[in-house]
Amino acid sequence: MSTLKLGIADDHELFRKGFISMLSGIPDFEFILEAGNGQELLDRLPANTPDIVFMDLQMPVMDGIQATEAAFERFPNIKIIVVSMYNEDRFVIHMLEKGVQGYLLKDTSPDEVEKAIRRVHEEGFYYNDFVSKAMHRKMVNRQVNKHPFFPNACNVALSSREKEVLQLICDGLSTTEIGDKLFISVRTVEGHRLRVLEKTGTKSTAAAVAFAYKNQLLS
């Protein structure tokens, strides 16, 4: 069993240490990096680059939003899961647009944190019910307020199957679960996902989902 290398950036040492301790009993999880702010995280990443970083949003020196942008720019293969006390939709949508692979609240159960880690590692994203509802509300609000689409949205035409796959991703289903539900192979699901990324011009599933909702490509 390969070990998943994890990191965390949070300015509250008590939470940070407790979070690490909470996951320390899982044999294939190893925390190789912890930082008290975004700048400290970036300074330590070259020497110890985790597979997945848990990112707080409000931190001194450099906040989680700035650190996320910089981390993705310097380390394109890194995956980031936000862990924050901010439950407002605007924070969720904004971080998804930045390309994070998941968004958890700080009162999330240990079982769900483990599930999120494994899903992000295996599928590249994790959307729980909280995130899915935030995206749905964002879509509804844009329809009510008649916000304009992004300029490129008019050139994006997803097939009905691609929309089905993307919608099920938004609903939190894994690739295997999507395949079972639609009676198609995992490879076919992955093919549809990659075409969605290509058509939307996005680099991650999270960014593609945010783009789709923001531009009302999903019903």
Side-chain angles (χ1 to χ4, degrees):
M1 182 182 295
S2 61
T3 300
L4 287 177
K5 297 177 181 180
L6 308 175
I8 183 171
D10 193 293
D11 60 320
H12 291 96
E13 185 176 4
L14 185 62
F15 176 83
R16 195 171 68 240
K17 296 294 186 183
F19 194 87
I20 293 172
S21 177
M22 176 183 74
L23 298 173
S24 63
I26 301 174
D28 56 329
F29 289 177
E30 178 187 4
F31 272 90
I32 64 169
L33 185 155
E34 60 174 298
N37 61 67
Q39 186 59 59
E40 189 176 341
L41 173 73
L42 295 176
D43 291 342
R44 295 181 178 181
L45 277 176
N48 295 287
T49 307
D51 300 306
I52 299 171
V53 171
F54 290 93
M55 185 82 75
D56 188 19
L57 292 184
Q58 185 176 6
M59 295 183 287
V61 184
M62 178 184 288
D63 63 34
I65 299 174
Q66 294 173 304
T68 294
E69 292 175 338
F72 280 145
E73 182 177 347
R74 301 179 195 179
F75 306 91
N77 294 326
I78 202 167
K79 295 179 174 63
I80 294 176
I81 300 174
V82 172
V83 181
S84 175
M85 63 181 180
Y86 293 126
N87 61 0
E88 293 97 327
D89 291 355
R90 61 191 179 96
F91 286 107
V92 178
I93 300 301
H94 185 64
M95 293 310 294
L96 289 179
E97 290 173 347
K98 295 295 181 184
V100 300
Q101 282 72 28
Y103 194 112
L104 301 175
L105 297 179
K106 286 192 171 181
D107 61 357
T108 299
S109 70
D111 286 346
E112 185 173 358
V113 173
E114 180 181 356
K115 180 181 179 181
I117 292 171
R118 298 195 186 281
R119 184 68 67 81
V120 166
H121 175 66
E122 295 168 4
E123 306 282 347
F125 63 92
Y126 175 71
Y127 302 140
N128 56 14
D129 189 54
F130 163 72
V131 171
S132 296
K133 287 180 178 178
M135 291 189 292
H136 280 290
R137 285 192 293 267
K138 180 70 174 180
M139 179 189 66
V140 171
N141 287 339
R142 290 188 67 83
Q143 290 174 338
V144 171
N145 296 319
K146 296 183 179 179
H147 288 293
F149 296 171
F150 281 171
N152 293 332
C154 60
N155 298 322
V156 176
L158 300 181
S159 70
S160 58
R161 182 63 89 185
E162 289 163 354
K163 288 181 179 179
E164 280 184 302
V165 169
L166 193 55
Q167 184 63 64
L168 292 173
I169 288 173
C170 296
D171 293 340
L173 274 67
S174 68
T175 299
T176 300
E177 290 169 336
I178 293 171
D180 291 343
K181 189 175 183 66
L182 299 179
F183 303 103
I184 57 178
S185 69
V186 169
R187 185 176 179 179
T188 300
V189 174
E190 183 63 12
H192 288 308
R193 187 187 70 83
L194 291 175
R195 280 194 291 276
V196 169
L197 296 186
E198 182 180 356
K199 287 183 177 181
T200 58
T202 52
K203 296 181 180 180
S204 71
T205 303
V209 168
F211 179 95
Y213 270 111
K214 197 159 189 176
N215 293 288
Q216 302 177 33
L217 298 179
L218 297 176
S219 56

